[in-house]
Amino acid sequence: MIDKLIEKIIALQNPTCVGLDTDFNYLPEEMKAGVNGFEEAAKRITEFNKNIIDSVCDIVPSVKVQIAYYEMYGESGIKAFNDTVNYAKDKGLIVIADCKRNDIGSTASCYAKAYLGETEIYGKSSGAFKADMLTVNGYLGSDGIEPFVKEIKAHDKSIFVLVKTSNPSSGELQNLKLESGEYVYERMGKLVEKWGADTIGKNGYSEVGAVVGATHPEEAENLRKLLKNTFFLIPGYGAQGGSAQMLKVCFDKNGLGGVVNSSRGIICAYKNSAYAGMNYSAAARAACIVMQKDLSSVIGKMGR
Amino acid sequence: MIDKLIEKIIALQNPTCVGLDTDFNYLPEEMKAGVNGFEEAAKRITEFNKNIIDSVCDIVPSVKVQIAYYEMYGESGIKAFNDTVNYAKDKGLIVIADCKRNDIGSTASCYAKAYLGETEIYGKSSGAFKADMLTVNGYLGSDGIEPFVKEIKAHDKSIFVLVKTSNPSSGELQNLKLESGEYVYERMGKLVEKWGADTIGKNGYSEVGAVVGATHPEEAENLRKLLKNTFFLIPGYGAQGGSAQMLKVCFDKNGLGGVVNSSRGIICAYKNSAYAGMNYSAAARAACIVMQKDLSSVIGKMGR
């Protein structure tokens, strides 16, 4: 799946991922008015997402659906998550389920089935949530990651493991220095490279990627040098303070190596005076075009 | 909420948590026969869980519902999770949602609302999943944990942060030695103690607990000494190989300090020849009684 993402990035000259972190409160006033309860709210969120997807699907390669924003609306929210994932896939987008799942092996295999594989019921198998890629947390080590790698291989999927996250306090654990002289995030990165070692595709990147925040350029530069075969999912651009210049270090000499997420910067663009007069989906498209120009001005041509 | 759990443990002289990691495949053959699709499977899982809950709710203080086992049945699975949480609460059990959620602050606040707090829609707030306690992963540091602590304080809830997990490869990250001489898991433990510092209840334990596996007694003993105010959620007993003797070190001089989870050992007890002739709910109750005797023989009297 990583090669499919890379090919779409090259075709569109755009390494953007649109983050559908759709809080009901982000919706325009006219979509919120009179809404009562989770079911109605979730329907409006789905409608909002579908319109955003329709508006951007020909210019961006991927979307990231952050499940926390759906879980807070209960069962109805999960339906909205699922409908959003399926709609985005139908529109040809590569869908990253941002769930940061993690557990011991037996339990991790349930999560792996849920998002990347299939669940068997009395001899018949089907997929619960049909994402292309999933974010996971590696704090439990190899036996919590292997079940995901198994599903990746069986179903042509990818994962991104948290390595250096974009938030201000990420260093409290991730930047602790080990006796060996490495930082914790470096060790996690090396594990990621190992977990993906036998899934490297034709573009040189494996199906086991790393989450590396745009807000920490020093660590990102270090990780790009250390992890030659690891593709990065790069959050933190835009609303969190990361700039194109800061995340340039994540990319290789061919302008590849990462996909850059922006959530509020795109889905809430309609609230930005720069896009005054546009509805939310038109503003989202305009913001994607601005982001593409910004990123490509720094990264240069993508692909050989 | 931690004091309520401790009071129930003392009243029942039982620090057991029944893990409802209910894989459809665990159900008795007659409950599985002819079942087709996620919705039917999820209904059977709910029925199974309710019967287990009815059978054990007067002798155990708590259940832990592992959401991975529900997510793999899609939206229907989430309904089964929610129904199970609500049913267990109605029966007076303290319900731990085992979700190991984690993200940056803005997103963590969505998870915190989803499981511990309330979500607002157009001025009206309600809870999505009404758990009492939630497991979380601290790899992102303080700003990923603070939103949970906020909800804990507002709604009398608790969390358990992964510190030293029960799985074989937990040491790959958690037992790395830092330049400071500490291990990563010790540093995580100290952060947990800090995060909970102003939520300490009348029994001396805070609302921010730690997940500490029964399978690693050396680290558990070390953590009990280091973390005076941190209550432990102890997985790994039974099917994973942890014994009462191994987890004794998690308890203080008053026989308090932890709650011990067993999942397959209880919900699949009916498959064990020791409980031959019993149906699954009777076998689960019998297994809980055996576990209570085993734990209390080692821990001694619980409470002053």
Side-chain angles (χ1 to χ4, degrees):
Chain A
M1 188 52 68
I2 200 73
D3 279 328
K4 286 184 194 159
L5 176 59
I6 292 170
E7 281 149 31
K8 277 185 83 78
I9 289 171
I10 293 171
L12 298 167
Q13 289 293 300
N14 191 2
T16 293
C17 179
V18 174
L20 297 169
D21 304 13
T22 314
D23 190 316
F24 178 73
N25 294 312
Y26 296 169
L27 271 51
E29 208 48 42
E30 63 273 19
M31 287 184 81
K32 290 190 289 195
V35 166
N36 188 16
F38 291 162
E39 194 176 338
E40 285 179 35
K43 281 183 185 162
R44 295 296 169 90
I45 288 168
T46 306
E47 180 192 341
F48 180 90
N49 287 346
K50 286 183 176 178
N51 285 329
I52 298 268
I53 289 166
D54 284 341
S55 184
V56 304
C57 64
D58 61 325
I59 56 169
V60 302
S62 60
V63 293
K64 182 170 79 61
V65 194
Q66 169 49 262
I67 201 165
Y69 285 85
Y70 302 84
E71 292 186 359
M72 70 175 168
Y73 304 105
E75 297 164 30
S76 302
I78 298 300
K79 178 167 170 26
F81 170 82
N82 201 16
D83 290 347
T84 300
V85 167
N86 291 333
Y87 192 81
K89 279 188 58 141
D90 286 348
K91 292 287 168 175
L93 291 161
I94 290 178
V95 179
I96 304 169
D98 192 0
C99 306
K100 298 184 175 64
R101 295 303 192 248
N102 65 105
D103 217 298
I104 65 169
S106 50
T107 306
S109 77
C110 298
Y111 283 132
K113 286 181 208 169
Y115 295 95
L116 304 174
E118 296 190 325
T119 305
E120 194 202 302
I121 293 171
Y122 219 65
K124 269 170 70 177
S125 293
S126 53
F129 303 108
K130 294 168 188 154
D132 297 307
M133 300 177 164
L134 177 71
T135 59
V136 303
N137 184 318
Y139 186 70
L140 288 90
S142 295
D143 54 40
I145 297 295
E146 280 154 9
F148 294 104
V149 176
K150 185 182 156 203
E151 298 298 338
I152 282 171
K153 290 177 181 174
H155 300 282
D156 185 21
K157 308 276 182 168
S158 307
I159 55 171
F160 291 100
V161 183
L162 300 188
V163 173
K164 176 63 188 171
T165 57
S166 59
N167 57 314
S169 69
S170 65
E172 283 176 18
L173 256 288
Q174 299 162 27
N175 285 51
L176 292 175
K177 198 163 194 179
L178 299 173
E179 204 180 40
S180 63
E182 299 163 279
Y183 292 102
V184 167
Y185 81 85
E186 292 178 305
R187 182 62 72 95
M188 185 70 94
K190 288 174 190 172
L191 284 168
V192 169
E193 190 91 350
K194 192 183 86 176
W195 292 327
D198 62 351
T199 68
I200 297 171
K202 63 182 177 184
N203 291 291
Y205 289 105
S206 89
E207 302 288 6
V208 182
V211 174
V212 178
T215 44
H216 305 294
E218 193 181 322
E219 290 88 341
E221 184 171 14
N222 181 26
L223 286 167
R224 177 40 68 226
K225 284 180 194 147
L226 276 175
L227 312 178
K228 298 291 184 201
N229 302 115
T230 302
F231 203 80
F232 294 173
L233 169 59
I234 307 162
Y237 175 87
Q240 288 183 53
S243 68
Q245 201 57 48
M246 286 161 78
L247 58 81
K248 185 184 175 184
V249 293
C250 295
F251 290 81
D252 65 22
K253 64 180 168 34
N254 299 313
L256 300 173
V259 63
V260 184
N261 185 73
S262 175
S263 301
R264 281 164 284 173
I266 294 172
I267 65 175
C268 296
Y270 77 95
K271 297 181 180 185
N272 183 331
S273 58
Y275 307 104
M278 293 186 189
N279 66 25
Y280 65 89
S281 52
R285 184 179 178 88
C288 283
I289 292 169
V290 168
M291 182 170 167
Q292 188 277 338
K293 284 187 182 148
D294 184 36
L295 293 177
S296 67
S297 74
V298 165
I299 297 167
K301 181 169 172 282
M302 293 153 220
R304 283 185 191 86
Chain B
M1 187 53 69
I2 201 70
D3 279 327
K4 286 183 193 159
L5 175 59
I6 292 170
E7 280 149 29
K8 277 185 83 78
I9 289 170
I10 294 170
L12 298 167
Q13 289 294 299
N14 192 2
T16 293
C17 178
V18 174
L20 297 170
D21 303 12
T22 313
D23 191 315
F24 178 73
N25 294 313
Y26 295 170
L27 270 50
E29 208 48 42
E30 63 274 18
M31 287 184 80
K32 288 189 290 195
V35 166
N36 189 16
F38 291 161
E39 194 177 339
E40 285 180 35
K43 280 183 183 162
R44 295 296 169 91
I45 289 168
T46 306
E47 181 193 341
F48 180 90
N49 287 346
K50 286 183 176 177
N51 284 330
I52 298 268
I53 289 165
D54 284 342
S55 184
V56 304
C57 64
D58 61 324
I59 56 169
V60 302
S62 59
V63 293
K64 181 172 79 63
V65 194
Q66 170 48 264
I67 200 166
Y69 286 83
Y70 302 84
E71 292 186 0
M72 69 175 169
Y73 304 106
E75 296 164 29
S76 302
I78 298 300
K79 178 168 172 23
F81 170 83
N82 201 16
D83 289 348
T84 299
V85 166
N86 290 334
Y87 192 81
K89 279 189 56 143
D90 286 348
K91 292 286 169 175
L93 291 161
I94 290 177
V95 179
I96 304 169
D98 192 359
C99 306
K100 298 184 173 67
R101 295 301 192 250
N102 64 105
D103 218 297
I104 64 168
S106 50
T107 306
S109 78
C110 298
Y111 284 132
K113 286 181 207 169
Y115 295 95
L116 303 173
E118 296 190 325
T119 305
E120 194 202 304
I121 294 171
Y122 219 65
K124 268 169 72 176
S125 293
S126 54
F129 304 108
K130 293 167 189 154
D132 296 309
M133 300 178 165
L134 178 71
T135 59
V136 302
N137 184 319
Y139 187 68
L140 288 90
S142 295
D143 54 40
I145 297 296
E146 280 154 8
F148 295 104
V149 176
K150 185 181 159 203
E151 298 298 337
I152 283 171
K153 290 178 180 172
H155 300 281
D156 186 21
K157 307 276 182 170
S158 307
I159 55 172
F160 291 100
V161 182
L162 300 189
V163 173
K164 175 64 189 171
T165 58
S166 59
N167 58 313
S169 69
S170 65
E172 284 176 17
L173 255 289
Q174 299 161 26
N175 285 51
L176 292 175
K177 199 162 194 179
L178 300 172
E179 203 180 41
S180 63
E182 299 164 280
Y183 292 102
V184 168
Y185 80 86
E186 293 177 305
R187 181 63 72 95
M188 185 69 94
K190 289 175 191 173
L191 283 169
V192 169
E193 190 91 351
K194 192 183 87 175
W195 292 327
D198 61 351
T199 67
I200 297 170
K202 63 183 177 185
N203 291 290
Y205 289 105
S206 88
E207 302 289 5
V208 182
V211 174
V212 178
T215 45
H216 305 293
E218 194 181 321
E219 289 88 342
E221 184 171 12
N222 180 27
L223 286 168
R224 178 40 68 227
K225 283 179 195 148
L226 276 176
L227 312 178
K228 299 290 184 202
N229 302 115
T230 302
F231 203 80
F232 293 173
L233 169 59
I234 307 162
Y237 174 87
Q240 288 183 53
S243 69
Q245 202 56 50
M246 286 161 76
L247 58 80
K248 186 186 175 182
V249 293
C250 295
F251 290 81
D252 65 22
K253 63 178 170 34
N254 298 314
L256 300 173
V259 63
V260 183
N261 185 74
S262 174
S263 301
R264 281 164 284 173
I266 295 172
I267 66 174
C268 296
Y270 78 96
K271 298 181 181 186
N272 182 331
S273 59
Y275 307 105
M278 292 185 188
N279 66 25
Y280 66 87
S281 51
R285 184 179 178 88
C288 283
I289 291 168
V290 169
M291 181 168 168
Q292 188 278 337
K293 284 186 180 148
D294 184 36
L295 294 177
S296 67
S297 74
V298 165
I299 298 166
K301 180 170 173 282
M302 294 155 219
R304 283 188 190 83

